[in-house]
Amino acid sequence: MKVASGVALFVAVTIVFVACGGSRGAGPRRPIGFADELQQILNDAVLATNGVGVTAAVVAEGDEPWTGAAGNSVRSATATIPMTPDMLFEVGSVAKTFVTTLLMQLVDRGVVSLDDPLSRWISGYPQLDPRISLRDLVDSTSGIPEWVDHPSSPFKRGVDKSRAWLARSWTVDDMLTELVGKPEFPPGTRWQYSTTGFRLVREVLERQTGKPIAELIQTRLLDPLGIHGMWLTPTWPIPKGIPIAHEWYDLDGDTNYDDITDIPKTGFADLKSAPVYSNALDLARFCQGLFHGGTLLSDSSLAAMLDFRPVADPAEPVLAEYGLGVGVFHLPNLAGLEHYGHGGHGFGYVAMMLYLPRHNASVVVLVNDGVTMDAVVEPFLRAVDEGL
């Protein structure tokens, strides 16, 4: 749910670069010149961390798309399934950028304003300060407590103790009455990461348009970019034919990872900003279409999303700055590399989606068992920065 921090959960890492999309990417293409280095970084990360699997893909202006994989999606005594680039990962809070983009599209159309009060759509809850605006929700300054931090949340109790919670269907009313307490601070006075706020944005979008979030994402964000491979309506058991990268988590604290892919997670799908399962290439194409392609938003709306301010939240130490549904991260060994995007994690999957303005390139990293994100991100970014 939150932006990944510290050691990331691992079993598959997916890194994708898409540069100079649209007409700017037209013309003859050549093989990427540092493909072997990228592949070696993936191989080394899996070996160094005893990780399970990693996939990667690169698309840059003038270059042929590059994909790579190392390790497995499943590695057990009874089965081994190699990791492949087409496998889907749940992207967690990266979906905050999706819902913010949808909101900014409504702003572009004059349907809503960022200064509109949340109470226009949702009211009657004492923990929702009537002064809260849509802007406060997408820049995490609403003061609404994080449902993820509630003592009964699976993030506090663990997966195994929360199976009934996870399998349950949750409404916004359930969330507000059972998991969200009194305000942390008056709206607009502090920055504090809030998945709750983005879930309320999703509710506003659905009430305003009369359409479910999955339909809005597909028709308004993905169809214009020609993306048709994301899974936006997750159900359990997972339907046959959905190429899921298996999700691994230590259930019993014995330091061995358990395959939790088949544990129903309806609760997460209901309470997240949006449930989004994507492969590497599709998520990078969305990133590129938003930040470089000019396809989804007006220049003014994109500029508003990228109007960053310094932030400090002990719960999110990896974040350095935040705009509207988009952040800048602490990358200690890559201080000179300009970037922005979003990250996210659950119990197994971890995601990082970055755009590199210097190279007009989008970067996506997806892992699903907790040890390889830190080992792969900076070497891979450094290779791309030096190679493009």
Side-chain angles (χ1 to χ4, degrees), residues 61-303:
E61 182 180 18
D63 293 324
E64 294 177 357
W66 176 89
T67 60
N72 306 291
S73 169
V74 175
R75 183 188 64 189
S76 69
T78 58
T80 298
I81 300 175
M83 186 62 65
T84 59
D86 65 328
M87 288 182 171
L88 305 179
F89 300 73
E90 204 277 324
V91 305
S93 287
V94 172
K96 288 178 170 65
T97 303
F98 282 67
V99 298
T100 303
T101 304
L102 288 169
L103 180 64
M104 298 309 294
Q105 286 184 341
L106 295 184
V107 172
D108 279 340
R109 296 169 186 164
V111 176
V112 304
S113 164
L114 288 176
D115 296 323
D116 286 343
L118 173 62
S119 59
R120 175 178 165 187
W121 296 271
I122 302 171
S123 60
Y125 297 91
Q127 63 272 61
L128 298 183
D129 191 308
R131 296 170 292 178
I132 293 172
S133 68
L134 297 182
R135 186 189 307 274
D136 294 324
L137 298 177
V138 292
D139 70 2
S140 283
T141 59
S142 68
I144 301 173
E146 176 68 284
W147 71 257
V148 172
D149 294 334
H150 191 277
S152 66
S153 162
F155 284 95
K156 295 298 184 182
R157 301 176 66 243
V159 174
D160 214 30
K161 295 179 180 179
S162 304
R163 293 190 185 220
W165 190 108
L166 290 167
R168 170 185 168 182
S169 294
W170 289 77
T171 65
V172 164
D173 180 72
D174 294 334
M175 177 186 75
L176 291 173
T177 56
E178 298 182 36
L179 301 175
V180 179
K182 62 183 181 179
E184 301 278 356
F185 51 84
T189 61
R190 278 175 47 195
W191 189 90
Q192 181 173 286
Y193 193 79
S194 177
T195 301
T196 308
F198 283 92
R199 179 58 183 90
L200 294 174
V201 174
R202 168 181 166 183
E203 189 73 6
V204 168
L205 292 169
E206 292 182 327
R207 293 188 184 190
Q208 178 64 43
T209 64
K211 300 180 184 298
I213 193 64
E215 181 178 344
L216 293 173
I217 290 173
Q218 185 62 55
T219 60
R220 301 190 181 191
L221 302 183
L222 304 183
D223 284 350
L225 300 174
I227 298 171
H228 304 290
M230 292 191 189
W231 187 34
L232 306 173
T233 55
T235 55
W236 288 268
I238 295 171
K240 292 182 178 180
I242 303 293
I244 291 292
H246 281 232
E247 179 181 11
W248 296 78
Y249 175 76
D250 183 1
L251 285 175
D252 52 15
D254 65 356
T255 72
N256 294 314
Y257 286 101
D258 303 288
D259 189 340
I260 65 169
T261 310
D262 292 333
I263 294 177
K265 303 175 188 69
T266 303
F268 279 170
D270 289 343
L271 292 176
K272 291 180 177 181
S273 49
V276 175
Y277 283 74
S278 179
N279 63 40
L281 180 58
D282 283 346
L283 189 57
R285 290 173 64 198
F286 164 73
C287 183
Q288 193 72 4
L290 172 61
F291 295 127
H292 181 68
T295 303
L296 300 179
L297 291 177
S298 68
D299 290 345
S300 60
S301 284
L302 183 57

